[in-house]
Amino acid sequence: MSETDDRHSEKMRKIQAARAKIMAGKTIERGLVIVHTGAGKGKSTAAFGMVCRMIGHGRRVAIVQFIKGAMQTGEKAVFDAFPDQVEFRPMGEGFTWDTQDRARDIATATAAWHVAKARILDPEIDMVVCDELNVALRYDYAPLDDVLATLQDKPQSKHVVITGRNAPDELIARADLVTEMTLVKHPFRSGVKAQEGIEF
Amino acid sequence: MSETDDRHSEKMRKIQAARAKIMAGKTIERGLVIVHTGAGKGKSTAAFGMVCRMIGHGRRVAIVQFIKGAMQTGEKAVFDAFPDQVEFRPMGEGFTWDTQDRARDIATATAAWHVAKARILDPEIDMVVCDELNVALRYDYAPLDDVLATLQDKPQSKHVVITGRNAPDELIARADLVTEMTLVKHPFRSGVKAQEGIEF
């Protein structure tokens, strides 16, 4: 083994030891409130990736979509393969700028929130994804106070994943895990259209 | 309809029109080089969410894992449900700080790259995920020049998704879509351990 390799081994041994020490202190297992926000891509997609993990572990998941309606046709086919584990509820009627009717948007978001709330409080369900709820909260289409109160009352082991741009500060304060997806580069800027598997 | 609702309708109509105009200019359909980087969570998870979309659209996907070995047990169960569409190749032998053997890490990463390269060049596969390739590139465990050359030579319609912290500048320059996942808040900091469905 060369000197470089020795130095590398020593360095890696130190990283390993430091990491083991950190992990030994992590003993709490509890349901998390997870927020994916920011203007970048991957907020909903990462939530759906978590749903896949839960499916693989035999858990039950509910997904409530607040804004997008016809999107996510790709994921739906996968969820349909696990009907006993996944309940998928697309409750949005398209983007708000497609409806042009504030009263209807509020009614739609309120109905979606009632469905999501019941699943968050249901101890039989392990994870609830509230997809694009942040957008509904931002336009006051869904009641932030009730969302925060429901997260307070949720079963201890329940994971709740909330996606969408502009997550409210109060939600970020309550959340356990917050990731901001930041756009570095986007192909739409060079004329590439939305494509199967990437955007939907 | 109240005055407020009228104003809202008008505003939404303008957003809708502007959006329609933008989307009409997006006519190019081609395979994308997609990079998920940054210190936050969701890089691999969002890639696996894209895999789900591709599955739903009947496409074929190969996933090569460069660093993580035993992780992603959750997703694997889902991929196994679609054996004709998904090839999952966990090629890493644990994190580098667990192996403490630079020569072996290089051999492992090189072998993984050869598997990934063959799939990137194979016109029968619609998407290749190179999970944690950025980490291998950063430590010079995988050859950046060959990665860039292979992306240049790939079939036109092929999507390639590359994840991991510290994506090299040359890769970002070549990529079509780059998202940085930024950590805002992490539960490990308050003693919560890695949990099924969230971390693996």
Side-chain angles (χ1 to χ4, degrees):
Chain A
M1 201 184 258
S2 75
E3 203 176 315
T4 308
D5 286 346
D6 279 347
R7 272 206 302 274
H8 178 81
S9 290
E10 178 55 26
K11 190 178 151 195
M12 289 294 132
R13 231 183 328 264
K14 280 182 184 164
I15 292 175
Q16 185 185 37
R19 195 177 152 81
K21 195 175 166 188
I22 290 167
M23 297 314 285
K26 314 300 175 198
T27 53
I28 304 166
E29 187 160 342
R30 66 170 154 83
L32 303 177
V33 174
I34 298 167
V35 174
H36 294 169
T37 193
K41 286 183 63 68
K43 298 182 289 292
S44 299
T45 321
F48 293 133
M50 283 187 181
V51 169
C52 282
R53 291 190 175 151
M54 295 299 280
I55 293 171
H57 290 297
R59 306 298 186 92
R60 291 186 61 205
V61 183
I63 303 152
V64 180
Q65 286 195 312
F66 280 77
I67 303 290
K68 291 174 186 168
M71 303 288 278
Q72 272 79 49
T73 51
E75 295 93 325
K76 190 174 178 306
V78 174
F79 300 153
D80 288 349
F82 300 91
D84 298 339
Q85 289 179 258
V86 183
E87 181 196 17
F88 179 57
R89 296 288 298 265
M91 306 282 294
E93 301 185 32
F95 291 95
T96 55
W97 47 82
D98 283 335
T99 60
Q100 301 169 8
D101 182 340
R102 191 163 185 268
R104 203 183 76 178
D105 281 354
I106 291 173
T108 302
T110 304
W113 169 242
H114 284 300
V115 168
K117 180 176 177 175
R119 273 115 194 111
I120 291 170
L121 297 176
D122 179 352
E124 299 294 308
I125 297 171
D126 301 295
M127 176 183 276
V128 177
V129 175
C130 300
D131 189 43
E132 302 285 2
L133 172 56
N134 289 335
V135 178
L137 290 172
R138 196 212 174 176
Y139 284 103
D140 285 326
Y141 289 177
L144 179 60
D145 287 353
D146 194 33
V147 169
L148 295 172
T150 304
L151 293 176
Q152 198 61 38
D153 294 342
K154 77 176 180 62
Q156 213 258 350
S157 64
K158 171 79 52 98
H159 298 298
V160 180
V161 186
I162 298 172
T163 77
R165 293 181 185 210
N166 300 303
D169 292 341
E170 298 90 331
L171 180 62
I172 289 177
R174 166 61 188 86
D176 300 292
L177 172 59
V178 180
T179 306
E180 184 173 351
M181 277 65 171
T182 309
L183 181 70
V184 178
K185 206 174 184 183
H186 197 295
F188 282 7
R189 291 188 182 159
S190 37
V192 175
K193 70 176 189 176
Q195 292 176 87
E196 270 188 13
I198 308 299
E199 271 85 19
F200 59 95
Chain B
M1 200 183 257
S2 75
E3 204 175 316
T4 308
D5 285 347
D6 278 346
R7 271 204 302 274
H8 177 82
S9 289
E10 180 55 26
K11 189 177 153 196
M12 290 295 133
R13 229 182 332 260
K14 280 182 184 164
I15 293 175
Q16 185 185 36
R19 193 177 155 82
K21 196 177 167 188
I22 290 167
M23 297 314 285
K26 315 298 176 196
T27 53
I28 304 166
E29 187 160 342
R30 66 170 154 84
L32 302 177
V33 175
I34 298 167
V35 174
H36 294 169
T37 193
K41 287 183 64 68
K43 298 183 288 293
S44 299
T45 320
F48 293 132
M50 283 187 182
V51 170
C52 282
R53 290 190 177 153
M54 295 297 281
I55 293 171
H57 290 296
R59 307 298 185 92
R60 290 186 61 206
V61 183
I63 303 152
V64 180
Q65 286 196 311
F66 281 77
I67 302 290
K68 292 173 186 170
M71 303 288 278
Q72 274 78 47
T73 51
E75 294 92 326
K76 193 176 175 304
V78 174
F79 301 152
D80 288 348
F82 300 90
D84 297 339
Q85 288 181 258
V86 184
E87 181 195 18
F88 179 57
R89 296 288 299 264
M91 305 282 295
E93 302 184 31
F95 291 96
T96 55
W97 45 82
D98 284 334
T99 60
Q100 301 169 11
D101 183 340
R102 190 163 186 271
R104 204 184 75 177
D105 281 354
I106 291 172
T108 302
T110 304
W113 169 242
H114 283 299
V115 168
K117 181 177 177 174
R119 275 117 194 106
I120 291 170
L121 298 176
D122 180 352
E124 299 294 308
I125 297 172
D126 301 295
M127 176 184 276
V128 178
V129 176
C130 299
D131 189 43
E132 301 286 0
L133 172 57
N134 289 335
V135 178
L137 290 171
R138 197 214 173 171
Y139 284 101
D140 284 326
Y141 289 176
L144 179 60
D145 287 353
D146 195 32
V147 170
L148 295 172
T150 304
L151 293 176
Q152 199 60 38
D153 295 342
K154 76 175 181 63
Q156 212 256 352
S157 65
K158 171 81 52 98
H159 298 298
V160 180
V161 186
I162 298 172
T163 76
R165 293 181 184 210
N166 299 304
D169 292 342
E170 298 90 332
L171 180 61
I172 288 177
R174 166 63 188 86
D176 300 292
L177 171 60
V178 180
T179 304
E180 184 173 350
M181 276 68 171
T182 309
L183 180 69
V184 178
K185 205 173 183 184
H186 198 296
F188 282 7
R189 293 189 181 158
S190 38
V192 175
K193 71 176 189 177
Q195 293 176 87
E196 271 187 12
I198 308 298
E199 270 83 20
F200 58 95

